[in-house]
Amino acid sequence: MKKITMNEMPFPAVTRLCTIYELLSRLEQQGTVAISSGELGTRLGVAAHNIRKDVSRLGIAGNIGSGYEVKKLKGLIAGKFGFGEEKKACVVGLGHLGSAIIQRSIFADGEFRIVAGFDSNINKLETIKTNIDLFPAYQITDVVGRKGIQLAIITVPSSNAQEVADRLVDGGIGGIVNFAPVVVKSKKNNVFVKNMDIAGELRILSALVKTAKSFSA
Amino acid sequence: MKKITMNEMPFPAVTRLCTIYELLSRLEQQGTVAISSGELGTRLGVAAHNIRKDVSRLGIAGNIGSGYEVKKLKGLIAGKFGFGEEKKACVVGLGHLGSAIIQRSIFADGEFRIVAGFDSNINKLETIKTNIDLFPAYQITDVVGRKGIQLAIITVPSSNAQEVADRLVDGGIGGIVNFAPVVVKSKKNNVFVKNMDIAGELRILSALVKTAKSFSA
DNA sequence: TAGATTGTTAATCGATTAACAATC
DNA sequence: TAGATTGTTAATCGATTAACAATC
């Protein structure tokens, strides 16, 4: 008996719908009322049928002949993905990068709020100026559970990243963004991890530059 | 006549080979001489046949019966992707995040070196302590071209990200890592862009958590 | 040799793209 | 109505997975 985690939607579709959501938020603020799949596609660099296909997974959303109502489509995506209420996040590792992230404590217009910071160096906790609550790293599991923190950003050295991830998972975290240049895995299989390795991305980019073939056809 | 950029290798394969390269570097330091596709796969969370398939794109690399020689495989990947010589990179935008990145100026054990920082605020350039050369943003194109900088990291506000990207491309940059929460595109089609939007990733993670279905089978 | 492990071909899988009927 | 645009089915494409012959 194997434990399996599946997604009711393909990963690429989830990603694109999130991008669409972000664009819709901006359009809404600008007062745009309706938009077609073609226009959405142009703005996002995605084919129009791709947009329609993705949107169709949400159930009926558009008006044949006149496109999508911005508010309605945004609401449908929010409903499916549980957007709307502010999500709590935390940062583990308060070096330069972690401090930089904590600085801007509200992300994406109130969608996410950083409510806790952790570091293993207790002296450091006292020197950082912020109105976010800071805790020693050994309290990660406890604080994440108690505060109901759903998302975490890891900016600790590679050597500690996996251990930190395990503690977060024990606390009941839902997703982790990992900046340590090491692939972090989750013990539980319904916890999602996004590894963001800057050096790794630079490496991939330079590999692509090297192997890219440009030609006229 | 359309200008087309293709890659001689599938994107996912390039990405995995870069990850393999990184692992091989660590193995080499530890003194490991040989490793099998199975062991590589286990370490990276990839199927063994996937490893072999990717590696086979480099030409013959392994020893049937006894796996891959660490040094040799690393060398083959390095050769294909042009690794080996140190690549020059720059950071545009010296706020908290940009300063944090510039702080650690050498990435991935000397694979990448940050040789320039840019900011539109000239006063800021004088207050930052670093031995990396700093320049006003209007000199981006010039400096990138003159110093032969191949990679860039953008940490400016969204509103300026595309303009900065255009200047970098004009200077002849090869790849861009963009932290601004906006999808940046390259005018030239042989310039690669990796968008790293923290808030966007948090959003995708929370969408995945919401739509994941865990079950026993 | 026998066991291990590669390189490669073939089969499967899943996502993207194309096409079009439905309909506002 | 005529033009526009969706939702959906079918066709295509590309990558992953499986299988195995080759061979060290």
Side-chain angles (χ1 to χ4, degrees), chain A residues 1 50 52 59 63 76 92-93 99 103 107 122 136 166 170 176 186 192 195 209:
Chain A
M1 194 170 80
N50 213 332
R52 291 202 297 278
N63 307 305
L76 270 168
V92 187
S99 302
Q103 201 74 20
F107 282 82
I122 296 172
D166 291 342
D170 288 341
I176 296 172
S186 158
F192 294 87
N195 291 292
V209 170

Side-chain angles (χ1 to χ4, degrees), chain B residues 18-171:
Chain B
C18 286
T19 320
I20 293 172
Y21 179 83
E22 204 276 327
L23 175 56
L24 290 172
S25 300
R26 274 186 288 140
L27 289 171
E28 195 183 23
Q29 281 184 337
Q30 290 165 23
T32 307
V33 175
I35 190 165
S36 70
S37 61
E39 181 62 20
L40 281 171
T42 308
R43 300 252 206 152
L44 298 173
V46 175
H49 25 252
N50 213 333
I51 300 276
R52 290 202 296 279
K53 181 86 187 220
D54 290 341
V55 169
S56 75
R57 295 174 199 276
L58 303 168
I60 289 138
N63 306 306
I64 295 176
S66 62
Y68 302 103
E69 217 180 302
V70 171
K71 257 202 168 83
K72 185 180 174 190
L73 182 52
K74 191 189 164 204
L76 270 168
I77 299 176
K80 174 64 100 181
F81 292 155
F83 298 161
E85 352 80 80
E86 193 177 72
K87 298 269 178 5
K88 291 177 189 168
C90 67
V91 173
V92 186
L94 301 174
H96 292 290
L97 183 57
S99 302
I101 293 171
I102 235 173
Q103 202 74 22
R104 186 161 46 104
S105 64
I106 298 179
F107 282 82
D109 243 330
E111 282 187 70
F112 307 100
R113 179 186 297 268
I114 294 173
V115 298
F118 300 93
D119 200 291
S120 55
N121 183 340
I122 297 173
N123 297 329
K124 192 181 278 178
L125 299 180
E126 287 163 6
T127 59
I128 294 175
K129 283 180 190 169
T130 171
N131 26 17
I132 290 166
D133 292 343
L134 303 182
F135 305 89
Y138 70 83
Q139 294 184 7
I140 290 174
T141 303
D142 176 46
V143 173
V144 167
R146 185 154 45 80
K147 292 205 176 202
I149 297 174
Q150 297 161 74
L151 300 160
I153 300 168
I154 297 181
T155 62
V156 301
S158 333
S159 47
N160 305 322
Q162 186 61 57
E163 190 201 338
V164 162
D166 291 342
R167 289 194 204 173
L168 288 164
V169 172
D170 287 342

Side-chain angles (χ1 to χ4, degrees), chain A residues 17 20 50-59 61-62 68 73:
Chain A
L17 283 167
I20 293 172
N50 213 332
I51 300 276
R52 291 202 297 278
K53 180 86 188 220
D54 290 340
V55 169
S56 75
R57 295 175 198 274
L58 304 167
Y68 301 103
L73 180 52

Side-chain angles (χ1 to χ4, degrees), chain A residues 57-77:
Chain A
R57 295 175 198 274
L58 304 167
I60 288 138
N63 307 305
I64 295 178
S66 63
Y68 301 103
E69 217 179 301
V70 172
K71 256 201 168 84
K72 185 180 174 189
L73 180 52
K74 191 189 164 204
L76 270 168
I77 299 175

